């Protein structure tokens, strides 16, 4: 890489033939011990004058005699200061004294800001804070008149003063243990490290640190229930009734048509899961329930078990057991992920993968529902390979049997689908101006009307399939069955991979819904959205539901949006929904008998339409930005799903997404830096090399990320490419562009290396050793001389290899000064 044009200067000595043609004149401001500047002398004299004027006032801890030097790149590790100017080390106790009054200490910008913050923190005197002076003991205090040691012990006493203690228990336990502060000491032992830090922060801020605070965080029911008002009741109840009218028939259809389990198992998902999530969930307006994708995946496990000869199509008891096993394993996976704090997993799956998979699911659902909507179910059951075949095979079957379509069934399904879609579009357009249209129960009206027509016109006798008796496979309502029994090990092995995918997709959909709704509720305060708590809440809800063989239930954006738009403001709407569903199961099951299955299939088709309708917008966006890789991923997942199976599409999509994440995380993002002329600001030289200037004999390399085993594999290769070509974008087949003499000094900008593990330290040590063996000077800039990274550099021998701590400087410009001093570059006049 060539240097930018500079005026030529004569060399003063032949001994320094390797010096830059144009010295940067940095040495003019760098010596081993720089004398104090006039500004520093003025600052020191002002401090001494202030100290002389107020003999009893100590030096402020926030205004030391000499502040560390800063640059435009921020404060960082400074070069070793000379003994004359080394900053003094102060003890906190040397500068914490009783506050005598407003004029006790000289006001500075820092103390002024802290003073304002403390005044607004809480009323009354303040005796805490990192930089705040300790006030005098207030009059009437319990520690007044004690000596300093006694006062300190009194202030640090761990005795419980919360007012919730029982004197008799305290006396007995204190007598047995010899400690009157036994509750506080036990609490400290049970707290995690984060809780202990939080306790310290709360103590400094004057906030009571109690177990109620932590319990309310992990059990949000304790937070929102204290804020619940009678005015919320109407909105929550209306929202619950509206959701029940929409989604209870949907649950019946999901269970019967997609999951191939008894319809009542779909209703169970609205009995247990919403109420459990209302107690533990962190999003007040989100409502959990069965979803089309999860129900379809349950159906694939049921079909696979039948194909393997472990049951028959009519064995509803076995199907219900499989449903419970799948739900239980999905719930256990989500719960374990929450306990182990894996909430970041919602960022693993890429948007193209999700869009391609969701669109494929919508297509598969639409094709599956066409069979009962055309009245070809009985023919499909007699045709081998159709019921459990791919979407392409089902389309081929339908086209070859169009002459056998049941016309009345098709008319009912088409009319129901058209009515629901018309009302859906009308609501979408009218709701911004007329919010009340959201309360119109169009789907409930279609279901009730179709059931009445079926009963009155006796459509069952004319060949229209009906739902029939809705009852439990075991013959009893709410039969408890633990899903992880030894007898279910065969089903557990069959459902393991599918359950993991259900958990992953369910959590992602719930996360999207929760993030979309987290800022829309102003009625409930203090409930902060947490992915890990969401995992625990969803996992617990599904584990409880699995004990009653319910469908997997997660948060859905559409359902939660209906809850919000119809007046739901708190989790009480979910509790009302559970109670309404329980009432339907106990008293209204006989009225579901005449529900026509074509109507239920049409409702599922509407859901499939909603899953597909957003795909064209995403395709157009990726075409506009030329995201061919994303389009390719979407196409692969979609085609694999419809031509082969849902499981293969999911496996390929997840595998490709994980590979993309690994590829992205393992590539080091090192850069070569150049300086903006006339400034001390450095920038990536590969972006605009014509705008930057470079220093002959110096290679400035920036490492903007932590160094771990994941990204150090290619570090040597990419660094070597920078040495040879001056850019990481050059192909290795290109001949060498930079000579060895251009890399006499290597400066590493390690400001971004905030973490390092043993593998990263080992690779960095090998790189530094190779430089040292070749006679290359190595400098490190913008690092920190404390913490784990510094300890690893010391222990690995990197500090010793480069020549000691002097080679670790505060900024890149300081390292360049040291290179000129080391090479004896003549200064410019």
């Amino acid at each position: 890489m060539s240097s930018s044009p500079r005026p030529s200067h004569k060399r003063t000595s032949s001994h320094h033939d390797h010096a830059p043609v144009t010295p940067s004149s940095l040495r003019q401001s760098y010596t081993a011990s720089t004398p104090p500047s006039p500004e520093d002398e003025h600052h020191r004299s002002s401090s001494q004058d202030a100290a002389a004027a107020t003999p009893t006032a100590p030096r402020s801890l926030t205004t030391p005699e000499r502040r560390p030097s800063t640059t435009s790149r921020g404060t960082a590790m400074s070069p070793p200061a000379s003994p004359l100017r080394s900053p003094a080390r102060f003890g906190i106790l040397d500068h914490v004294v009783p506050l005598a009054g407003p004029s006790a200490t000289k006001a500075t910008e820092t103390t002024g800001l802290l003073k304002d913050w403390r005044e607004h923190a809480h009323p009354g005197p303040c005796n805490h804070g990192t930089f705040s002076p300790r006030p005098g003991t207030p009059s009437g205090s319990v520690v007044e008149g004690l000596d300093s040691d006694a006062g300190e012990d009194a202030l640090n006493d761990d005795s419980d003063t919360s007012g919730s203690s029982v004197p008799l228990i305290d006396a007995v336990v204190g007598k047995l243990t010899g400690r009157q502060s036994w509750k506080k000491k036990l609490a400290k032992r049970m707290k995690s490290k984060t809780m202990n830090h939080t306790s310290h922060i709360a103590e400094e801020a004057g906030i009571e640190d109690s177990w109620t605070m932590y319990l309310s965080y992990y059990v949000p029911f304790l937070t929102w229930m204290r804020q619940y008002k009678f005015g919320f009741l109407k909105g929550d109840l209306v929202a619950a009734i509206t959701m029940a009218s929409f989604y209870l028939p949907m649950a019946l259809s999901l269970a019967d048509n997609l999951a191939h389990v008894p319809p009542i198992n779909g209703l169970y998902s609205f009995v247990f899961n919403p109420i459990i999530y209302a107690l533990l969930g962190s999003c007040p307006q989100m409502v959990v329930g069965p979803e089309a994708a999860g129900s379809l995946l349950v159906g694939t496990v049921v079909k696979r078990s039948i194909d393997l000869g472990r049951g028959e199509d009519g064995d509803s008891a076995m199907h219900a057991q499989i449903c419970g096993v799948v739900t239980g394993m999905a719930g256990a996976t989500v719960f374990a992920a929450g306990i182990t704090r894996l909430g970041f997993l919602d960022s693993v799956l890429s948007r193209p993968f999700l869009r391609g998979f969701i669109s494929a699911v919508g297509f598969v659902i639409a094709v599956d529902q066409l069979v009962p909507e055309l009245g070809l179910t009985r023919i499909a059951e007699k045709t081998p390979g159709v019921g459990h075949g791919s979407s392409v095979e089902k389309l081929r079957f339908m086209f070859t049997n169009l002459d056998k379509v049941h016309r009345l069934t098709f008319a009912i399904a088409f009319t129901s689908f058209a009515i629901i879609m018309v009302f859906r579009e009308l609501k979408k357009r009218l709701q911004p101006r007329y919010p009340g249209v959201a309360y119109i129960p169009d789907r409930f009206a279609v279901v009730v009307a179709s059931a009445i027509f079926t009963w009155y016109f006796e459509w069952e006798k004319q060949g229209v399939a009906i739902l029939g008796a809705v009852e439990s496979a075991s013959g009893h309502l709410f039969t408890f069955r633990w899903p992880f029994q030894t007898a279910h090990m065969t089903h557990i092995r069959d459902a393991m991979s599918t359950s993991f995918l259900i958990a992953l997709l369910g959590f992602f959909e719930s996360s999207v819904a929760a993030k979309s709704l987290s800022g829309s509720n102003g009625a409930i305060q203090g409930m902060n959205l947490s992915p890990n708590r969401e995992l625990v809440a969803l996992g617990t809800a599904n584990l409880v539901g699995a004990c009653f063989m319910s469908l997997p239930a997660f948060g859905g954006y559409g359902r939660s949006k209906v809850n919000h738009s119809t007046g739901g403001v708190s989790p009480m709407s979910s509790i009302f929904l559970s109670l309404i569903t329980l009432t339907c199961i106990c008293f209204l099951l006989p009225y579901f008998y005449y529900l026509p299955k074509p109507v239920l299939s049409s409702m599922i088709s509407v859901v499939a339409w909603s899953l597909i309708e957003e795909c064209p917008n995403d395709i157009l966006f990726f075409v506009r930005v030329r995201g061919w890789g994303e389009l390719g991923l979407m196409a692969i997942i979609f085609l694999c799903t419809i031509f082969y199976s849902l499981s293969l599409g999911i496996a390929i999509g997840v595998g490709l997404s994980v590979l993309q994440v690994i590829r992205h995380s393992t590539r080091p993002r090192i850069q070569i830096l150049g300086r903006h002329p006339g400034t001390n600001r450095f920038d990536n030289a590969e972006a605009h090399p014509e705008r930057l200037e470079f220093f002959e004999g110096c290679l400035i390399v920036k490492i903007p990320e932590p160094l771990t085993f994941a990204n150090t594999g290619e570090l040597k290769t990419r660094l070597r490419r920078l040495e040879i070509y001056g850019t990481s974008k050059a192909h290795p087949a290109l001949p060498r562009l930079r000579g060895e003499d251009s890399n006499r000094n290597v400066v590493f900008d390690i400001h971004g290396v905030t973490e390092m593990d043993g593998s990263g330290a080992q690779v960095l040590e090998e790189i530094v050793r190779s430089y040292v063996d070749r006679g290359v000077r190595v400098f490190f800039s913008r690092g920190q001389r404390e913490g784990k990274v510094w300890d690893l550099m010391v222990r690995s021998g990197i500090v010793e290899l480069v020549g000691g701590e002097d080679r670790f400087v505060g900024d890149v410009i300081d390292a360049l000064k040291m290179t000129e001093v080391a090479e004896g570059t003549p200064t410019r006049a």
Side-chain angles (χ1 to χ4, degrees):
M1 183 175 294
S2 60
S3 303
S4 58
R6 300 179 184 177
S8 61
H9 291 266
K10 294 182 178 180
R11 302 176 188 266
T12 58
S13 174
S14 61
H15 178 69
H16 301 292
D17 293 337
H18 56 275
V21 176
T22 305
S24 61
S25 70
L26 297 175
R27 292 176 60 246
Q28 296 178 2
S29 59
Y30 180 84
T31 55
S33 55
T34 307
S37 64
E39 183 180 357
D40 290 338
E41 289 291 347
H42 175 71
H43 176 70
R44 178 177 299 184
S45 62
S46 300
S47 302
Q48 293 173 355
D49 294 342
T54 310
T56 58
R59 290 173 295 177
S60 172
L61 182 60
T62 60
T63 55
E65 291 183 1
R66 179 178 179 267
R67 298 183 180 180
S69 61
T70 58
T71 66
S72 60
R73 302 296 295 265
T75 59
M77 177 176 55
S78 301
S82 63
L84 296 177
R85 302 193 61 195
S86 59
R89 299 182 179 272
F90 301 104
I92 293 180
L93 295 180
D94 296 338
H95 301 277
V96 179
V97 297
L99 187 63
S103 61
T105 58
K106 185 173 180 178
T108 64
E109 181 182 358
T110 306
T111 56
L113 292 173
L114 292 174
K115 181 176 183 294
D116 293 340
W117 179 78
R118 291 301 177 185
E119 285 179 353
H120 292 84
H122 61 82
C126 182
N127 64 345
H128 46 260
T130 308
F131 301 107
S132 301
R134 187 185 299 276
T137 304
S139 178
S141 173
V142 293
V143 297
E144 184 177 7
L146 299 176
D147 56 40
S148 59
D149 294 336
E152 187 72 17
D153 292 339
L155 289 172
N156 294 330
D157 188 15
D158 288 333
S159 61
D160 190 358
T161 58
S162 61
S164 60
S165 60
V166 181
L168 180 59
I169 297 178
D170 289 348
V172 173
V173 177
K175 187 70 173 177
L176 294 176
T177 61
R179 299 177 179 178
Q180 296 299 327
S181 57
W182 63 278
K183 288 192 295 183
K184 282 287 183 100
K185 295 183 181 298
L186 179 62
K188 286 184 177 180
R189 290 180 177 272
M190 295 178 64
K191 285 184 178 180
S192 64
K193 181 183 294 186
T194 304
M195 289 183 178
N196 288 328
H197 286 307
T198 305
S199 300
H200 180 68
I201 296 172
E203 181 181 356
E204 288 187 342
I207 301 173
E208 181 183 0
D209 178 63
S210 62
W211 275 102
T212 306
M213 178 177 67
Y214 298 104
L215 190 62
S216 299
Y217 177 82
Y218 290 107
V219 185
F221 169 78
L222 300 177
T223 298
W224 67 261
M225 199 59 191
R226 289 197 298 264
Q227 304 178 41
Y228 197 80
K229 302 176 182 178
F230 184 77
F232 299 163
L233 187 62
K234 178 182 177 181
D236 289 336
L237 184 58
V238 171
I241 295 174
T242 306
M243 286 188 296
S245 66
F246 289 173
Y247 293 103
L248 292 190
M250 185 75 67
L252 295 170
S253 184
L254 291 173
D256 184 64
N257 294 344
L258 294 183
H260 305 290
V261 299
I264 195 172
N265 293 84
L267 295 179
Y268 286 162
S269 300
F270 278 123
V271 174
F272 302 102
N273 298 64
I275 193 170
I276 297 297
Y277 182 82
L279 300 178
L280 301 177
S282 59
C283 184
Q285 291 177 309
M286 192 169 76
V287 181
V288 299
E291 292 292 332
S295 302
L296 186 63
L297 289 171
V298 172
T300 60
V301 179
V302 173
K303 290 180 180 180
R304 190 185 308 125
S305 298
I306 296 173
D307 293 340
L308 294 175
R310 299 192 176 111
E312 300 179 355
D313 285 333
D315 191 354
S316 59
M318 187 202 72
H319 299 176
Q321 292 177 8
I322 294 175
C323 179
V325 169
V326 174
T327 304
M329 294 185 64
T333 302
V334 173
F335 183 82
I339 294 296
T340 54
R341 304 182 66 82
L342 299 180
F344 63 90
L345 287 178
D346 64 335
S347 303
V348 172
L349 299 182
S350 64
R351 177 69 178 269
F353 161 74
L354 292 166
R355 179 50 56 202
F357 174 74
I358 290 174
S359 300
V361 167
F363 184 84
V364 170
I365 291 174
V367 172
D368 285 349
Q369 299 311 302
L370 279 175
V371 175
E373 287 173 353
L374 296 176
L376 299 175
T377 303
R378 295 180 181 177
I379 301 177
E381 291 175 352
K382 297 178 182 179
T383 304
V386 175
H388 301 172
S390 64
S391 298
V392 175
E393 293 172 346
K394 291 179 182 178
L395 286 173
R396 186 185 302 113
F397 163 78
M398 285 184 284
F399 280 115
T400 57
N401 292 276
L402 285 177
D403 57 329
K404 301 177 184 178
V405 172
H406 192 268
R407 297 182 179 180
L408 180 58
T409 299
F410 176 72
I412 295 172
F414 178 78
T415 304
S416 302
F417 179 82
I419 293 174
I420 295 174
M421 288 298 296
V422 168
F423 273 93
R424 181 174 178 266
E425 294 301 319
L426 287 176
K427 285 183 177 181
K428 186 183 298 183
R429 288 169 170 77
L430 295 177
Q431 193 168 351
R433 296 182 59 185
Y434 307 100
V437 298
Y439 295 92
I440 299 177
D442 53 302
R443 302 186 189 187
F444 180 73
V446 169
V447 169
V448 172
S450 62
I452 294 175
F453 290 158
T454 303
W455 167 75
Y456 184 80
F457 295 106
E458 297 182 346
W459 285 345
E460 180 186 5
K461 296 180 180 179
Q462 301 179 36
V464 177
I466 62 174
L467 187 61
V470 180
E471 57 186 13
S472 174
S474 62
H476 304 281
L477 296 178
F478 304 110
T479 302
F480 181 89
R481 186 184 295 273
W482 180 245
F484 305 110
Q485 299 181 19
T486 307
H488 295 164
M489 286 304 300
T490 302
H491 301 320
I492 291 175
R493 286 193 295 267
D494 294 341
M496 188 170 297
S497 59
T498 306
S499 299
F500 174 77
L501 296 173
I502 292 174
L504 194 62
L505 294 172
F507 169 61
F508 181 84
E509 187 173 2
S510 301
S511 177
V512 171
K515 291 176 181 177
S516 302
L517 296 168
S518 60
S520 61
N521 183 20
I524 305 299
Q525 304 294 330
M527 292 182 63
N528 300 317
L529 184 64
S530 169
N532 294 312
R533 285 187 296 153
E534 286 293 295
L535 285 169
V536 172
L538 294 170
T540 304
N542 281 282
L543 283 173
V544 173
C547 296
F548 300 92
M549 294 168 287
S550 69
L551 289 177
F554 294 91
Y557 178 74
R559 181 171 49 247
S560 303
K561 193 68 175 178
V562 170
N563 178 40
H564 171 67
S565 61
T566 54
V569 295
S570 75
M572 188 60 73
S573 60
S574 296
I575 297 177
F576 284 147
L577 177 61
S578 297
L579 296 177
I580 292 172
T581 308
L582 180 62
T583 303
C584 291
I585 292 176
C586 294
F587 303 105
L588 301 180
L589 287 183
Y591 298 96
F592 295 151
Y593 183 90
Y594 287 102
L595 283 179
K597 286 189 175 182
V599 174
L600 298 179
S601 297
S602 65
M603 297 177 67
I604 299 297
S605 297
V606 174
V607 176
W609 179 274
S610 66
L611 295 178
I612 299 174
E613 64 180 350
E614 294 184 6
C615 185
N617 294 331
D618 287 351
I619 292 177
L620 292 176
F621 175 81
F622 288 125
V623 170
R624 187 167 64 251
V625 301
R626 299 182 180 180
W628 311 124
E630 289 78 3
L631 288 173
L633 179 61
M634 291 175 60
I636 290 173
I637 297 171
F638 186 85
L639 294 176
C640 289
T641 302
I642 66 174
F643 278 98
Y644 188 76
S645 68
L646 196 65
S647 301
L648 179 64
I650 293 174
I652 292 178
V654 171
L656 291 176
S657 295
V658 172
L659 286 177
Q660 284 184 345
V661 173
I662 296 174
R663 177 176 177 269
H664 182 73
S665 62
T666 55
R667 296 189 64 183
R669 297 165 182 82
I670 58 177
Q671 304 171 358
I672 185 171
L673 300 182
R675 188 176 73 166
H676 288 271
T679 68
N680 288 338
R681 189 164 70 90
F682 293 81
D683 207 347
N684 184 9
E686 297 184 63
H688 300 285
E690 71 280 358
R691 302 179 184 177
L692 304 174
E693 65 178 4
F694 307 94
F695 298 88
E696 184 179 348
C698 294
L699 178 66
I700 308 173
V701 178
K702 179 180 180 181
I703 306 179
E705 60 186 351
L707 289 178
T708 63
F709 73 95
N711 63 354
T712 53
E714 296 184 6
L715 183 60
K716 289 183 180 180
T717 304
R718 295 175 69 86
L719 187 58
R720 184 62 178 168
R721 192 171 298 179
L722 288 179
E723 297 177 29
I724 297 175
Y725 306 112
T727 176
S728 60
K729 298 179 181 179
H731 194 276
L734 190 69
R736 186 183 185 105
L737 301 180
R738 289 172 57 93
E740 289 288 347
D741 194 56
S742 299
N743 305 315
R744 298 190 306 272
N745 303 281
V746 176
V747 179
F748 286 104
D749 182 351
I750 58 171
H751 182 65
V753 185
T754 56
E755 292 183 11
M756 183 187 295
D757 61 4
S759 299
Q762 185 179 24
V763 173
L764 187 60
E765 191 270 343
E766 293 173 357
I767 292 173
V768 172
R769 184 178 295 277
S770 66
Y771 280 137
V772 173
D773 292 342
R774 286 186 285 161
V776 177
R777 301 181 187 88
V778 180
F779 302 87
F780 289 91
S781 67
R782 299 214 306 157
Q784 297 290 337
R785 293 191 185 181
E786 58 183 9
K788 182 180 178 181
V789 175
W790 175 253
D791 291 341
L792 282 173
M793 286 191 170
V794 173
R795 294 173 185 173
S796 62
I798 296 176
V799 176
E800 183 179 355
L801 276 174
V802 300
E805 298 185 11
D806 292 346
R807 295 292 179 94
F808 289 78
V809 296
D811 204 351
V812 176
I813 206 71
D814 297 331
L816 294 175
K817 295 175 185 178
M818 295 188 70
T819 62
E820 293 188 353
V821 171
E823 293 185 349
T825 304
T827 58
R828 185 168 51 189

